[in-house]
Amino acid sequence: MSDEHATVELDVTDPGPEPRRRLGRGARIGLIVAGCVVGLAALLVVADVVARGIAEQRVADEVRASLPAGVEGDVEVTIGGFSVIAQYLSGTMEQVSLSAPELIVEGAPLDVEVSLMGVPVDLGSPVDRLEATVTAEQDAVNSLVQVPNSTGSITLGDATVGYEGAIEFLGQSIAYQVTATPTAAGTEVLLEPVGVEVGAGGGSLDLSGIVERVLGGDPIAVCVAEHLPEGIEVTDIAAAPGVVRVELEGSGITLDEAHLQQTGSCD
Protein backbone atom coordinates (compact mmCIF):
# COMPACT_ATOMS: atom_id res chain seq x y z
CA MET A 1 0.00 0.00 0.00
CA SER A 2 1.54 3.30 -1.09
CA ASP A 3 1.96 6.23 1.34
CA GLU A 4 1.74 8.81 -1.46
CA HIS A 5 -1.35 11.07 -1.52
CA ALA A 6 -3.04 12.26 -4.63
CA THR A 7 -2.70 16.00 -5.24
CA VAL A 8 -4.88 18.35 -7.27
CA GLU A 9 -3.44 21.49 -8.74
CA LEU A 10 -5.70 24.64 -8.43
CA ASP A 11 -5.48 27.60 -10.76
CA VAL A 12 -5.41 30.67 -8.44
CA THR A 13 -4.33 33.15 -11.05
CA ASP A 14 -6.11 36.56 -10.48
CA PRO A 15 -8.21 37.23 -13.55
CA GLY A 16 -8.05 41.04 -12.90
CA PRO A 17 -10.89 43.57 -13.19
CA GLU A 18 -13.35 43.30 -15.98
CA PRO A 19 -12.78 45.88 -18.68
CA ARG A 20 -14.97 49.05 -18.29
CA ARG A 21 -17.84 49.30 -20.64
CA ARG A 22 -17.75 52.43 -22.68
CA LEU A 23 -20.95 54.47 -22.89
CA GLY A 24 -22.67 54.35 -26.17
CA ARG A 25 -22.92 57.47 -28.28
CA GLY A 26 -26.62 57.86 -27.45
CA ALA A 27 -25.99 57.68 -23.68
CA ARG A 28 -23.24 60.30 -23.88
CA ILE A 29 -25.50 62.66 -25.80
CA GLY A 30 -28.24 62.11 -23.21
CA LEU A 31 -25.90 63.05 -20.37
CA ILE A 32 -24.74 66.17 -22.19
CA VAL A 33 -28.34 67.25 -22.84
CA ALA A 34 -29.33 66.59 -19.22
CA GLY A 35 -26.37 68.64 -18.00
CA CYS A 36 -27.31 71.51 -20.29
CA VAL A 37 -30.92 71.42 -19.09
CA VAL A 38 -29.87 71.47 -15.44
CA GLY A 39 -27.46 74.34 -16.11
CA LEU A 40 -30.10 76.30 -18.01
CA ALA A 41 -32.64 75.75 -15.24
CA ALA A 42 -30.16 77.02 -12.67
CA LEU A 43 -29.50 80.12 -14.78
CA LEU A 44 -33.23 80.75 -15.13
CA VAL A 45 -33.71 80.45 -11.37
CA VAL A 46 -30.90 82.94 -10.75
CA ALA A 47 -32.27 85.27 -13.42
CA ASP A 48 -35.76 85.05 -11.92
CA VAL A 49 -34.45 85.84 -8.44
CA VAL A 50 -32.65 88.89 -9.80
CA ALA A 51 -35.70 89.95 -11.82
CA ARG A 52 -37.93 89.53 -8.75
CA GLY A 53 -35.73 91.80 -6.67
CA ILE A 54 -35.62 94.44 -9.41
CA ALA A 55 -39.39 94.29 -9.95
CA GLU A 56 -40.14 94.51 -6.21
CA GLN A 57 -37.89 97.56 -5.85
CA ARG A 58 -39.49 99.21 -8.88
CA VAL A 59 -43.00 98.71 -7.54
CA ALA A 60 -41.95 99.97 -4.08
CA ASP A 61 -40.39 103.11 -5.58
CA GLU A 62 -43.45 103.87 -7.72
CA VAL A 63 -45.93 103.29 -4.90
CA ARG A 64 -43.90 105.41 -2.50
CA ALA A 65 -43.69 108.21 -5.07
CA SER A 66 -47.47 107.99 -5.61
CA LEU A 67 -48.51 108.28 -1.97
CA PRO A 68 -51.07 111.06 -1.44
CA ALA A 69 -50.14 114.31 0.28
CA GLY A 70 -49.88 113.83 4.03
CA VAL A 71 -48.89 110.16 3.69
CA GLU A 72 -45.29 109.02 4.01
CA GLY A 73 -43.29 105.99 5.02
CA ASP A 74 -41.31 103.02 3.73
CA VAL A 75 -43.15 100.39 1.71
CA GLU A 76 -41.83 96.85 1.31
CA VAL A 77 -43.01 94.85 -1.71
CA THR A 78 -43.22 91.09 -2.21
CA ILE A 79 -44.23 89.62 -5.55
CA GLY A 80 -45.93 86.23 -5.33
CA GLY A 81 -46.24 83.52 -7.95
CA PHE A 82 -43.70 81.08 -9.37
CA SER A 83 -41.85 83.04 -12.05
CA VAL A 84 -41.63 86.81 -12.15
CA ILE A 85 -40.22 86.70 -15.68
CA ALA A 86 -43.18 84.65 -16.93
CA GLN A 87 -45.61 86.98 -15.17
CA TYR A 88 -43.88 90.03 -16.62
CA LEU A 89 -44.10 88.60 -20.13
CA SER A 90 -47.81 87.94 -19.59
CA GLY A 91 -48.30 91.60 -18.64
CA THR A 92 -49.82 90.87 -15.23
CA MET A 93 -48.44 89.96 -11.81
CA GLU A 94 -50.57 87.38 -9.99
CA GLN A 95 -50.22 88.88 -6.49
CA VAL A 96 -48.23 91.72 -4.99
CA SER A 97 -48.08 92.33 -1.24
CA LEU A 98 -47.27 95.74 0.24
CA SER A 99 -46.19 96.16 3.85
CA ALA A 100 -45.91 99.52 5.61
CA PRO A 101 -45.80 98.88 9.38
CA GLU A 102 -44.92 102.51 10.15
CA LEU A 103 -46.90 104.52 7.63
CA ILE A 104 -47.62 108.09 8.72
CA VAL A 105 -51.03 109.40 7.61
CA GLU A 106 -51.64 113.05 8.46
CA GLY A 107 -49.30 112.69 11.42
CA ALA A 108 -50.88 109.47 12.71
CA PRO A 109 -48.86 106.22 12.69
CA LEU A 110 -50.61 103.25 11.08
CA ASP A 111 -49.69 99.65 10.35
CA VAL A 112 -50.84 98.92 6.80
CA GLU A 113 -50.77 95.58 4.95
CA VAL A 114 -52.05 95.46 1.35
CA SER A 115 -52.61 92.51 -0.97
CA LEU A 116 -53.07 93.24 -4.67
CA MET A 117 -54.38 90.65 -7.13
CA GLY A 118 -53.99 90.95 -10.89
CA VAL A 119 -51.42 93.76 -10.95
CA PRO A 120 -50.58 95.05 -14.45
CA VAL A 121 -46.94 95.58 -15.31
CA ASP A 122 -47.99 99.06 -16.36
CA LEU A 123 -48.93 100.55 -12.99
CA GLY A 124 -50.95 103.20 -14.80
CA SER A 125 -53.62 100.53 -15.36
CA PRO A 126 -55.99 99.35 -12.60
CA VAL A 127 -55.42 96.23 -10.50
CA ASP A 128 -58.11 93.57 -10.41
CA ARG A 129 -58.60 93.58 -6.65
CA LEU A 130 -57.22 95.17 -3.50
CA GLU A 131 -57.49 93.92 0.07
CA ALA A 132 -55.92 95.78 2.99
CA THR A 133 -55.68 95.66 6.76
CA VAL A 134 -55.07 98.86 8.73
CA THR A 135 -54.22 98.70 12.42
CA ALA A 136 -54.31 101.90 14.48
CA GLU A 137 -53.88 102.72 18.15
CA GLN A 138 -56.34 104.90 20.01
CA ASP A 139 -54.33 108.13 19.75
CA ALA A 140 -54.01 107.70 15.97
CA VAL A 141 -57.77 107.14 15.65
CA ASN A 142 -58.51 110.33 17.59
CA SER A 143 -56.20 112.37 15.39
CA LEU A 144 -57.89 111.15 12.20
CA VAL A 145 -61.62 110.84 12.94
CA GLN A 146 -64.23 112.28 15.25
CA VAL A 147 -67.68 111.11 16.18
CA PRO A 148 -70.22 113.71 15.01
CA ASN A 149 -71.50 115.93 17.83
CA SER A 150 -69.22 114.26 20.36
CA THR A 151 -67.54 116.35 23.03
CA GLY A 152 -64.52 114.24 23.86
CA SER A 153 -62.08 111.61 22.64
CA ILE A 154 -62.86 108.18 21.26
CA THR A 155 -62.01 105.26 23.55
CA LEU A 156 -61.48 101.75 22.22
CA GLY A 157 -62.63 98.82 24.32
CA ASP A 158 -63.30 95.13 23.89
CA ALA A 159 -65.34 95.12 20.63
CA THR A 160 -66.71 98.56 21.57
CA VAL A 161 -66.14 102.24 20.86
CA GLY A 162 -66.81 104.85 23.52
CA TYR A 163 -67.51 108.54 23.06
CA GLU A 164 -69.00 111.45 24.99
CA GLY A 165 -71.78 113.87 24.16
CA ALA A 166 -74.21 116.37 25.61
CA ILE A 167 -77.91 116.95 25.14
CA GLU A 168 -80.33 119.70 26.05
CA PHE A 169 -82.98 118.30 28.37
CA LEU A 170 -85.62 120.44 30.09
CA GLY A 171 -83.49 123.52 29.68
CA GLN A 172 -80.30 121.93 30.99
CA SER A 173 -77.21 120.57 29.20
CA ILE A 174 -76.77 116.97 30.29
CA ALA A 175 -73.49 115.12 29.56
CA TYR A 176 -73.50 111.43 28.70
CA GLN A 177 -71.04 108.69 27.80
CA VAL A 178 -71.93 106.10 25.16
CA THR A 179 -70.63 102.60 24.59
CA ALA A 180 -71.29 101.55 21.00
CA THR A 181 -70.67 98.61 18.70
CA PRO A 182 -68.85 99.53 15.46
CA THR A 183 -70.01 98.14 12.13
CA ALA A 184 -68.39 98.51 8.69
CA ALA A 185 -70.61 100.23 6.12
CA GLY A 186 -68.64 101.02 2.97
CA THR A 187 -67.30 104.55 3.31
CA GLU A 188 -68.68 104.85 6.85
CA VAL A 189 -68.38 103.18 10.22
CA LEU A 190 -71.69 102.94 12.07
CA LEU A 191 -71.72 103.19 15.86
CA GLU A 192 -74.72 101.43 17.40
CA PRO A 193 -75.18 102.55 21.06
CA VAL A 194 -75.48 99.63 23.47
CA GLY A 195 -74.97 101.47 26.75
CA VAL A 196 -75.28 105.01 28.14
CA GLU A 197 -74.08 106.66 31.33
CA VAL A 198 -75.74 110.01 32.08
CA GLY A 199 -74.23 112.71 34.26
CA ALA A 200 -76.16 113.90 37.32
CA GLY A 201 -78.76 116.47 36.42
CA GLY A 202 -79.31 117.79 39.91
CA GLY A 203 -82.46 117.69 42.00
CA SER A 204 -85.01 115.04 41.21
CA LEU A 205 -84.65 115.32 37.42
CA ASP A 206 -85.63 112.06 35.72
CA LEU A 207 -82.89 111.29 33.16
CA SER A 208 -84.39 108.09 31.80
CA GLY A 209 -85.64 110.02 28.78
CA ILE A 210 -82.08 110.82 27.72
CA VAL A 211 -81.11 107.17 27.86
CA GLU A 212 -84.09 106.23 25.74
CA ARG A 213 -83.33 108.93 23.19
CA VAL A 214 -79.69 107.92 22.84
CA LEU A 215 -80.30 104.18 22.72
CA GLY A 216 -83.37 104.45 20.56
CA GLY A 217 -81.90 106.73 17.92
CA ASP A 218 -80.25 105.83 14.62
CA PRO A 219 -76.62 104.62 14.63
CA ILE A 220 -74.03 107.38 14.49
CA ALA A 221 -72.29 107.42 11.08
CA VAL A 222 -68.57 108.22 11.11
CA CYS A 223 -67.39 108.99 7.58
CA VAL A 224 -63.94 107.67 6.65
CA ALA A 225 -64.14 108.22 2.89
CA GLU A 226 -61.94 111.32 2.98
CA HIS A 227 -59.07 109.19 4.35
CA LEU A 228 -59.33 106.52 1.62
CA PRO A 229 -58.51 106.51 -2.11
CA GLU A 230 -61.71 106.63 -4.12
CA GLY A 231 -63.16 103.17 -4.72
CA ILE A 232 -61.94 101.60 -1.48
CA GLU A 233 -64.47 100.66 1.19
CA VAL A 234 -64.48 99.40 4.76
CA THR A 235 -65.61 95.76 4.93
CA ASP A 236 -64.91 94.91 8.56
CA ILE A 237 -63.85 96.60 11.79
CA ALA A 238 -62.73 95.04 15.06
CA ALA A 239 -62.00 97.04 18.21
CA ALA A 240 -59.89 95.91 21.16
CA PRO A 241 -58.66 97.84 24.20
CA GLY A 242 -56.60 100.74 22.84
CA VAL A 243 -56.46 99.51 19.23
CA VAL A 244 -58.67 98.95 16.18
CA ARG A 245 -58.24 96.83 13.06
CA VAL A 246 -59.98 97.84 9.85
CA GLU A 247 -60.39 95.67 6.75
CA LEU A 248 -60.60 97.39 3.36
CA GLU A 249 -61.43 96.18 -0.14
CA GLY A 250 -61.62 97.65 -3.62
CA SER A 251 -61.46 96.73 -7.30
CA GLY A 252 -60.27 98.57 -10.36
CA ILE A 253 -57.90 100.70 -8.27
CA THR A 254 -55.01 102.38 -10.08
CA LEU A 255 -51.82 102.83 -8.06
CA ASP A 256 -50.45 105.92 -9.76
CA GLU A 257 -50.23 109.34 -8.11
CA ALA A 258 -53.18 110.87 -9.97
CA HIS A 259 -55.61 108.20 -8.77
CA LEU A 260 -54.27 107.79 -5.23
CA GLN A 261 -54.67 111.54 -4.71
CA GLN A 262 -58.40 111.21 -5.35
CA THR A 263 -60.04 110.43 -2.03
CA GLY A 264 -63.71 109.97 -1.26
CA SER A 265 -66.00 112.64 0.13
CA CYS A 266 -67.99 112.91 3.35
CA ASP A 267 -70.55 115.32 1.88
Side-chain angles (χ1 to χ4, degrees):
M1 189 173 183
S2 175
D3 293 336
E4 295 181 356
H5 299 283
T7 60
V8 177
E9 294 184 0
L10 299 176
D11 185 2
V12 295
T13 304
D14 186 358
E18 295 185 2
R20 297 178 59 186
R21 297 182 180 180
R22 299 183 62 185
L23 293 174
R25 182 178 180 183
R28 291 198 302 272
I29 293 175
L31 288 176
I32 293 172
V33 171
C36 290
V37 169
V38 171
L40 179 60
L43 288 175
L44 289 175
V45 169
V46 172
D48 199 73
V49 170
V50 173
R52 188 179 298 270
I54 293 174
E56 289 175 345
Q57 187 60 52
R58 170 180 170 260
V59 174
D61 290 342
E62 293 202 19
V63 170
R64 190 162 44 242
S66 301
L67 292 175
V71 180
E72 58 183 15
D74 292 331
V75 179
E76 296 182 1
V77 175
T78 302
I79 297 177
F82 176 69
S83 171
V84 168
I85 294 177
Q87 292 182 70
Y88 182 84
L89 293 177
S90 74
T92 303
M93 299 292 181
E94 296 175 9
Q95 182 173 1
V96 178
S97 298
L98 310 178
S99 178
E102 297 181 354
L103 195 68
I104 305 300
V105 178
E106 299 176 17
L110 304 177
D111 181 351
V112 180
E113 302 290 333
V114 180
S115 182
L116 305 169
M117 281 68 74
V119 182
V121 173
D122 175 14
L123 293 182
S125 300
V127 302
D128 289 345
R129 186 167 183 78
L130 176 150
E131 297 177 356
T133 300
V134 179
T135 304
E137 295 185 356
Q138 185 169 286
D139 289 344
V141 173
N142 277 292
S143 67
L144 292 174
V145 298
Q146 183 177 8
V147 177
N149 302 318
S150 66
T151 59
S153 299
I154 296 172
T155 57
L156 300 173
D158 187 6
T160 62
V161 173
Y163 59 93
E164 300 173 352
I167 191 170
E168 290 293 327
F169 188 70
L170 299 179
Q172 297 187 44
S173 178
I174 306 298
Y176 60 84
Q177 295 179 329
V178 177
T179 301
T181 300
T183 302
T187 58
E188 297 177 328
V189 173
L190 301 181
L191 301 180
E192 180 73 40
V194 294
V196 181
E197 293 184 5
V198 181
S204 59
L205 188 62
D206 182 4
L207 302 178
S208 60
I210 295 179
V211 175
E212 293 174 359
R213 287 172 61 180
V214 174
L215 292 180
D218 294 331
I220 301 296
V222 179
C223 180
V224 295
E226 61 184 358
H227 301 293
L228 301 173
E230 190 171 3
I232 297 179
E233 297 185 342
V234 181
T235 58
D236 190 29
I237 182 169
V243 66
V244 66
R245 188 189 74 249
V246 179
E247 303 289 341
L248 307 171
E249 290 185 9
S251 58
I253 307 299
T254 304
L255 301 179
D256 61 7
E257 183 176 4
H259 288 83
L260 290 180
Q261 295 282 356
Q262 298 176 5
T263 60
S265 173
C266 291
D267 295 337

